[in-house]
Amino acid sequence: MKTFKLVYFLLAITFLLASCGKDEILDNVEQESEKPEELVSTRAGLKTIGSGVMMQAFYWDVPAGGTWWNVVKGKVSSWSNAGIDAIWLPPVSKAQNGPFSMGYDPFDYYDFGEYNQMGSTETRFGSRSELESLISRAHNNGLNVIADIVINHNSGGDLESNEFAGKDTYTLFNPMSNKFNRTKYDFHPNEAYNSDSGIFGGFPDLSHNKSYVQDWLWKRNNSVAKYYKNTMGFDGYRFDYVKGFAPWVAKEFRRSTGVFGVGEYWDGNVNTLKWWTDQAQMSAFDFGCYYKMRDAFMGNNLNALSGDMLWKRNASRAVTFVANHDTDEIINNKLLAYAYILTHEGYPAIFYRDYEDWLSKSKMNNLIWIHNNLAGGSTTNLWTDNDEYIARRNGGYGKNGLVVYINNSNSWKERWIQTNWSSRRIKDYTGNSNWEPVTQGGRWVKIQAPPKGYTVWSLK
């Protein structure tokens, strides 16, 4: 038995060395990082979530009038071709403000624009049939569709006498879908529980410890979680305001269907983010990374990028971003910030308005291509100072790796750096430099980056 194992080991080493001779494989494959655990795909024919880039397919106050689902539907093919693997939609169900609501004041979780309540039949974004058509088009283009889930609070209920609150409260919900009717017993305070982790905006706060609430949110066969996946066709959840309830709530909701999940824990403290992802057993938006990038690019001090970030703790559970519908503070040098998240570890999300309206789409597509085709393996920092930042992705899982050079100064910069490639010709895949140097035997090479710009180097 030991002899056979030795033979198999030698064969495996031989195969590995032979494979490393091919141009498309990096020289030192031993630096592969652990394969991200959050890569999931639950529906046949779709890209794997985390293999590409997420698109936040909305912004605050997108045009009302029921047109948005059709707008997004018209873009999913080009987004897929660009390398997007999932689209994140705003809350899709009927909310208190009906045709004007962005969905974060949920009333009827099962009204997707088909019941005449809260002042309209359609939601702000369109009808149920238009939503279903969008999801179908996305799936036909290999894209996953992520639903924004708001389960901390509700809005739009009728007034009822509430002895637990000591006053009348808007906690009587009788939605036209006749699913998940709610009363004062389902919100805080009630006969058993006074409160949970937090309330939002004074809205009625769902009591997640109540079995009835759990049944309707994730346990029943037609629960919100299962209905959204099995009937509507969603492939993952983005959990809104997860500070408002214990991590186990999001954990159980997601686990009931086994799909991708990411939480909005709005906190720059990386210890807190790491704690939440460990407890909830899913990804979180990397606010640690966001605030460090804000300090770096808005404060013109790239030393901030040396700070702690969730992706540095556990890249497989970090969703990195430069802007979203709630916060857009990185205004200066925003493309440099995208060059950072699209070359580093973590699952990058890009913001609709940045991609479609405000930044160069060709440059964004180039960075998406770089992320999907070159940015593999662990990360090694090579240089950081006030104006310059250089890091190496060490390659792995069929990707050669890269070296990214971000220059926040007003002049061209050059530096000698050590790559993972010995005596190999490299090029800048952004087109910002026309150098094509050959690395020395010791893997050292001089690279450059333009003022207020970036370059990304890999094997030619």
Side-chain angles (χ1 to χ4, degrees), residues 159-335:
L159 201 62
E160 65 176 336
S161 175
N162 189 337
E163 64 273 24
F164 311 115
K167 61 180 180 180
D168 292 349
T169 54
Y170 292 94
T171 48
L172 184 61
F173 287 76
N174 292 298
M176 290 186 69
S177 67
N178 200 30
K179 295 182 178 68
F180 198 11
N181 293 354
R182 285 144 279 164
T183 69
K184 59 190 174 185
Y185 294 98
D186 306 311
F187 298 93
H188 295 122
N190 55 55
E191 84 288 358
Y193 306 99
N194 186 57
S195 64
D196 61 3
S197 300
I199 60 173
F200 182 83
F203 294 127
D205 185 49
L206 275 172
S207 183
H208 301 94
N209 282 307
K210 299 297 288 285
S211 59
Y212 177 82
V213 174
Q214 294 178 17
D215 287 345
W216 274 107
L217 287 181
W218 67 80
K219 289 185 175 179
R220 296 169 59 109
N221 288 334
N222 63 342
S223 64
V224 174
K226 293 172 184 174
Y227 194 93
Y228 276 46
K229 175 181 182 285
N230 300 329
T231 301
M232 298 303 296
F234 284 102
D235 309 290
Y237 312 119
R238 178 264 184 189
F239 293 93
D240 179 69
Y241 191 63
V242 297
K243 282 186 176 182
F245 45 87
W248 65 264
V249 175
K251 176 183 176 182
E252 294 303 319
F253 190 106
R254 187 197 68 81
R255 287 181 61 183
S256 69
T257 55
V259 299
F260 173 81
V262 56
E264 181 214 29
Y265 201 102
W266 196 331
D267 197 314
N269 186 315
V270 179
N271 289 323
T272 303
L273 293 173
K274 177 67 165 52
W275 164 82
W276 190 88
T277 59
D278 288 345
Q279 294 296 310
Q281 293 292 292
M282 69 175 75
S283 297
F285 287 101
D286 194 346
F287 279 93
C289 177
Y290 172 79
Y291 285 120
K292 294 299 186 295
M293 290 193 298
R294 182 197 63 182
D295 295 344
F297 297 113
M298 294 301 292
N300 292 313
N301 186 357
L302 299 191
N303 285 304
L305 297 177
S306 297
D308 202 4
M309 305 176 189
L310 180 58
W311 74 258
K312 296 180 182 181
R313 300 285 194 94
N314 187 347
S316 69
R317 287 194 173 140
V319 176
T320 55
F321 67 101
V322 175
N324 63 31
H325 63 294
D326 283 326
T327 182
D328 190 10
E329 300 170 277
I330 304 173
I331 301 172
N332 300 334
N333 308 311
K334 182 177 274 191
L335 199 57

Side-chain angles (χ1 to χ4, degrees), residues 330-347:
I330 304 173
I331 301 172
N332 300 334
N333 308 311
K334 182 177 274 191
L335 199 57
L336 274 63
Y338 274 109
Y340 181 85
I341 69 166
L342 286 164
T343 55
H344 283 65
E345 293 172 76
Y347 179 28

Side-chain angles (χ1 to χ4, degrees), residues 20 22-29 31 374 376 382 391-396 399-404 417-429 437-445 447 456-460:
C20 290
K22 298 180 181 179
D23 288 344
E24 68 270 17
I25 304 298
L26 81 168
D27 291 351
N28 57 338
V29 295
Q31 296 206 38
L374 301 176
L382 302 177
R392 184 178 71 219
R393 292 294 300 277
N394 292 303
K399 295 182 180 181
N400 286 327
L402 55 81
V403 175
V404 56
I417 53 94
Q418 189 173 30
T419 72
N420 285 328
W421 312 299
S422 178
S423 303
R424 304 292 296 275
R425 186 172 298 281
I426 65 172
K427 61 174 284 189
D428 166 36
Y429 277 83
V438 175
T439 62
Q440 297 180 350
R443 300 177 178 177
W444 286 84
V445 71
I447 59 175
V456 181
W457 305 82
S458 191
L459 296 177
K460 183 177 178 181

Side-chain angles (χ1 to χ4, degrees), residues 76-92:
V76 294
S77 177
S78 62
W79 289 348
S80 180
N81 291 336
I84 302 300
D85 65 25
I87 59 173
W88 159 25
L89 299 184
V92 296

